[in-house]
Amino acid sequence: MYCADVEPENASVTARRGAERPQRSHREVADELRTRIRTGVLRPGQRMPTQAKLADEFGVERGAVRQALRILQSEQLLANVSKGSPATVALRPGGLVPPVGSGAAPQPAMVGLPPRITEAFAAEHVRVDALCLTAVSLTAALGEPLRQIHAGRLKPAKIDVRVLLPSRDIDLAFPVPVDTSATGRLQRRWLAHRNAQGQVLRHNLLTLRSTHGIDVHVTFRALPFTPPVKLYLLNGTEALFAYYTVKRGEQTIDQEHLEMYDAEGTRSVLFAFEQGAGPRDTTFVEQSRLWFNALWETISSELVLTS
């Protein structure tokens, strides 16, 4: 009699607690599972929890779980989605760059950087350090994670971005005209481009304070030299590195054709290294972080994005 009396009471309490939990939609369940896959919490080839366990975790009906899994299957993030056995994370999840240490071929900055930045923004505290010539690649790469934040698919609580750019007070190594008499005009053009890109980057990120309540900090500092490489450090665990390869070319400035030496940063081949992917990668990430911090804390100076 004692057990018979207790069990209905416990069942009633459980039911009330379940009713008190806010019901998530199947899209919210899909968003959470997508983030776990993209951040490596769920690894390629790993079996997912059963639909019953997922339904209990998220406080939803199994039908909502099945809808969420089908969404992820349509995005090629999951395989073997059925009512019978648990699904598995796809071996090469669609829309993801292969793991950094997997020997994947390097890609141009404008191809390889955006998906890496997007994955970094799945963290609760996003940290991006960048050393570059104008920040054009970084500004463009931030477009996708910003779209996903506005769509509610990414929800970082804090974003810290630090950017090192060449100072306006130095003679640039590049871009420079072959005929040095035009150096002043080219320097002014580069400076305007540097400032415009930096202002757009800062505005787009700081807007997240008012629209989503995210704690955002964006800081720029000036280097006393022209960087021969570009470097991006993501959440302190990943380093993306590329050379600025200087070439001779021609541009029109103020309706005048100028021969010049310049580097196309958006086409620079990006090499990726990840902490934990082996001794070489781990050491490269650690040394890159030390190098960036040393520049930031010693020979760099305050940078104001004005002409």
Side-chain angles (χ1 to χ4, degrees), residues 30 34 37 66-82 87-88 90 94:
R34 185 187 298 108
I37 294 171
R66 282 195 292 274
Q67 285 180 284
L69 297 180
R70 289 189 188 114
I71 289 174
L72 300 181
Q73 184 179 42
S74 71
E75 296 173 2
Q76 300 178 17
L77 294 173
L78 292 179
N80 303 323
V81 175
S82 67
T88 56

Side-chain angles (χ1 to χ4, degrees), residues 121-254:
F121 268 68
E124 183 176 3
H125 182 187
V126 180
R127 290 171 292 141
V128 178
D129 293 335
L131 178 148
C132 42
L133 190 64
T134 62
V136 62
S137 296
L138 179 59
T139 302
L142 285 169
E144 180 56 27
L146 290 177
R147 280 191 291 271
Q148 294 206 24
I149 288 173
H150 290 301
R153 290 193 291 271
L154 292 175
K155 301 175 183 179
K158 185 175 183 180
I159 300 172
D160 285 313
V161 176
R162 300 188 299 175
V163 185
L164 286 170
L165 297 170
S167 168
R168 60 174 296 166
D169 300 322
I170 64 171
D171 293 328
L172 291 173
F174 60 90
V176 291
V178 175
D179 179 0
T180 56
S181 65
T183 298
R185 281 181 293 162
L186 193 56
Q187 178 97 357
R188 288 190 295 273
R189 184 173 182 269
W190 164 82
L191 181 61
H193 188 51
R194 184 206 72 172
N195 291 344
Q197 290 296 321
Q199 288 166 351
V200 169
L201 184 152
R202 182 172 60 188
H203 171 77
N204 289 347
L205 287 170
L206 292 182
T207 298
L208 297 174
R209 287 181 178 176
S210 57
T211 59
H212 291 76
I214 300 174
D215 183 12
V216 180
H217 300 272
V218 184
T219 313
F220 296 86
R221 287 188 68 80
L223 291 169
F225 62 88
T226 309
V229 299
K230 59 167 55 182
L231 174 70
Y232 306 97
L233 295 166
L234 309 181
N235 294 336
T237 62
E238 188 173 357
L240 307 173
F241 173 90
Y243 294 101
Y244 281 116
T245 302
V246 180
K247 297 180 181 179
R248 183 167 177 159
E250 189 175 286
Q251 283 195 21
T252 301
I253 299 177
D254 298 331

Side-chain angles (χ1 to χ4, degrees), residues 4-26:
D5 288 341
V6 170
E7 286 179 0
E9 181 180 342
N10 286 345
S12 175
V13 170
T14 302
R16 285 199 304 272
R17 287 175 181 171
E20 290 169 1
R21 285 193 295 181
Q23 273 294 320
R24 295 195 186 190
S25 71
H26 67 279

